Amino acid sequence: MTLFSRLYDHLMTPLEAASFCKMRRQIAGDAEGRVLEIGSGTGLNFPYYRRAASVDAIEPDAAMGRQSFDRIRRARVPVRLHAAGAEALPFPDDRFDTVIATLVFCTIPDPARALQEVRRVAKPGARFVLFEHVRMPNRPMAALQTALTPAWSKIADGCRLDRDTAGLVRSAGFSIRRMDSYAGGLFVKIECVTPG
Ligand SMILES: C[S@@+](CC[C@H](N)C(=O)[O-])C[C@H]1O[C@@H](n2cnc3c(N)ncnc32)[C@H](O)[C@@H]1O
């Protein structure tokens, strides 16, 4: 278990209190039908699912996954955890009505491959909702994010501070229906639809 995964929930506590839990309540709370959650970590979204028929969550880091067991037991909807990475999803084509990803595309080693996998397993027209920290639009800030990434990535289990996730999502062929920026563009909520 890395130090980052052991401390993750503690590190997140102030951010959750500030606004993340509101975002999770919105994103997970609105998720309907068969839901796929990418990189569910310690399961911080699990308490907020209420309308989903079922949730399949994938998480490649066993230590993170273990920390979500209690939240799985207490969830209001059935949650199944799969030990898998987003680049090779263990599901058939056209399976999910909703896909959600929070604070995860910064860390996925091959995000373009992962987005192709999301396209494959999501039904045509399925909702895909992401909440991510991303490369900021302000150039000096973006340069700072790039400069800090090598050190940060070592501390935070591969997390990149300068990923252009919206650009990757567009390049993968998803139609972005709505994008909201927060904290000067450090965070974005992206709502898109899977192409038919
Ligand atoms: C910052 S944590 C976010 C966890 C959770 N989504 C949340 O909102 O708290 C990043 C997560 O991405 C996961 N991850 C890393 N590589 C991944 C991959 N290839 N596919 C899916 N998830 C991955 C990590 O194991 C970790 O749980």
Side-chain angles (χ1 to χ4, degrees):
M1 189 192 254
T2 63
L3 190 61
F4 183 70
S5 60
R6 191 177 324 146
L7 295 181
Y8 186 73
D9 278 359
H10 298 292
L11 296 171
M12 292 301 282
T13 300
L15 294 166
E16 297 295 326
S19 62
F20 283 16
C21 77
K22 197 170 152 213
M23 187 60 73
R24 293 182 192 283
R25 179 173 292 119
Q26 227 177 62
I27 294 176
D30 286 350
E32 291 184 320
R34 269 190 190 154
V35 176
L36 168 63
E37 180 171 339
I38 304 287
S40 52
T42 60
L44 289 173
N45 291 318
F46 296 164
Y48 301 109
Y49 287 109
R50 49 183 68 233
R51 293 194 199 160
S54 62
V55 177
D56 285 284
I58 62 121
E59 171 51 55
D61 181 329
M64 291 293 260
R66 270 197 303 277
Q67 293 180 75
S68 71
F69 288 170
D70 197 39
R71 292 188 174 110
I72 291 175
R73 271 191 294 273
R74 286 187 282 132
R76 276 175 275 208
V77 306
V79 178
R80 284 181 294 264
L81 183 65
H82 307 262
E87 295 95 334
L89 293 172
F91 307 109
D93 298 358
D94 299 341
R95 179 160 187 90
F96 295 100
D97 302 290
T98 309
V99 181
I100 79 162
T102 59
L103 306 170
V104 64
F105 270 87
C106 50
T107 306
I108 294 176
D110 187 345
R113 171 91 200 121
L115 288 165
Q116 289 312 317
E117 278 291 89
V118 170
R119 268 190 75 162
R120 181 182 67 75
V121 302
K123 293 178 183 170
R127 288 180 71 229
F128 178 29
V129 186
L130 304 92
F131 176 64
E132 298 285 347
H133 67 77
V134 293
R135 187 170 74 205
M136 296 175 80
N138 176 293
R139 279 200 187 175
M141 289 305 289
L144 182 64
Q145 287 177 298
T146 298
L148 292 175
T149 286
W152 174 247
S153 196
K154 285 201 182 87
I155 299 167
D157 290 355
C159 170
R160 293 197 62 90
L161 294 168
D162 59 351
R163 202 155 254 180
D164 174 18
T165 301
L168 288 163
V169 165
R170 264 193 216 98
S171 303
F174 292 93
S175 320
I176 296 186
R177 290 286 162 89
R178 181 178 170 145
M179 187 156 90
D180 297 304
S181 295
Y182 307 90
L186 175 59
F187 296 98
V188 289
K189 180 184 177 203
I190 305 169
E191 299 190 27
C192 40
V193 171
T194 308

